Amino acid sequence: AAAGAIDLRGRALQDVSLLRACPALRHAVLSGNILSRLEPPGLLGCTRLVKLDLSHNALRVLPGRSEWAALANLRVLYLHSNQLASLKACQALAALPAIERLTLFDNPLCSHPAYRHFLVNTIALRCLDERIVADDEIIEGVSFGPESRFWRGSHRLHFPVMEEPQVQSEELVAVFERALIAELASLAGSHARSSPVLTVQGHVRRRAAI
């Protein structure tokens, strides 16, 4: 099939393996179903995916590194509100070469005391859950306190989940593409504004260009 986008939210689906017949798929909204696992190749055989929403399902296990590595274009992955309990199993997501945003909140694994520290230092992300990844989370021994212009207090770096609008099928691809472009542009801007490292790099590049 030539479908570039699908919206199958809230359909009580237990299996999406037939989506392997959609190699051109770029956007997949599968939230609000009752998926408990992803059988390879199935959905993970859709190697052109750029955004995948699997939130509000019943996922208990994740595929391994080799399956995720096949999704070379995936930039946004929503896995929040599932039944994922193994923090170690999330290491497989580090195989996603282009991933920028990941959500895992409202899963049992979030109760682990090292949840956020482990993930932001295992997976190269700009945003985990609804918070931009800050430099002081991934640079050991660095702290940007309240005196820094990058400090936003307890609500710093907030970036909400961007749900796709519900639209008619003939408009799906265009609307989802625009929504993703807007989400990634906003994410990049928020990350850059809150990152001392990126700010310094920008100054260096500008001085080198003079």
Side-chain angles (χ1 to χ4, degrees), residues 6 16 19 25-31 35 38 42-46 48-55 57 59 62-63 68 71 73-80 82 93 96 99 101-103 162 164 176 180 183:
I6 57 166
V16 291
L19 290 178
L25 192 62
R26 287 174 52 81
H27 305 263
V29 180
L30 298 164
S31 57
L35 301 171
L38 299 174
L43 181 63
L44 299 183
C46 301
R48 297 186 184 180
L49 277 170
V50 291
K51 183 171 183 176
L52 175 58
D53 185 350
L54 290 164
S55 63
N57 273 281
L59 292 173
L62 292 174
W68 290 114
L71 300 183
N73 301 297
L74 190 66
R75 300 176 71 179
V76 178
L77 176 61
Y78 288 170
L79 289 170
H80 57 275
N82 277 283
L93 298 173
L96 291 164
I99 194 68
R101 181 167 203 196
L102 171 67
T103 63
M162 307 290 189
E164 282 78 2
F176 281 12
L180 178 65
E183 179 175 5

Side-chain angles (χ1 to χ4, degrees), residues 32 66 97 106 110 112 143 149 158 173 175 182 194:
S66 60
D106 289 340
C110 295
H112 194 289
S143 177
R149 71 181 181 89
H158 179 73
V173 175
V175 171
S194 59

Side-chain angles (χ1 to χ4, degrees), residues 203-210:
H203 284 309
V204 170
R205 283 194 295 270
R206 284 192 292 273
R207 289 179 63 86
I210 297 175

Side-chain angles (χ1 to χ4, degrees), residues 87 90 100-105 109-138 154 156-159 187 191 194:
L87 186 59
C90 292
E100 296 184 37
R101 181 167 203 196
L102 171 67
T103 63
L104 282 163
F105 61 88
L109 59 82
C110 295
S111 63
H112 194 289
Y115 162 70
R116 186 172 176 90
H117 176 78
F118 175 80
L119 287 175
V120 300
N121 286 280
T122 301
I123 308 169
L125 296 168
R126 281 184 167 175
C127 185
L128 173 62
D129 296 333
E130 294 187 307
R131 281 177 55 200
I132 300 291
V133 176
D135 290 344
D136 53 5
E137 294 183 277
I138 56 177
S154 61
R156 65 173 180 162
L157 314 174
H158 179 73
F159 195 80
L187 174 57
H191 185 236
S194 59

Side-chain angles (χ1 to χ4, degrees), residues 162-174:
M162 307 290 189
E163 294 187 1
E164 282 78 2
Q166 296 189 9
V167 296
Q168 297 299 316
S169 58
E170 61 270 16
E171 303 171 343
L172 209 58
V173 175

Side-chain angles (χ1 to χ4, degrees), residues 13 29 37 41 43 73 80 91 94 103 124 127 147 160 177 184 199 202:
L13 298 175
V29 180
R37 62 188 303 121
L43 181 63
N73 301 297
H80 57 275
Q91 285 181 300
T103 63
C127 185
E147 71 281 359
E177 286 283 356
L184 292 176
T199 299

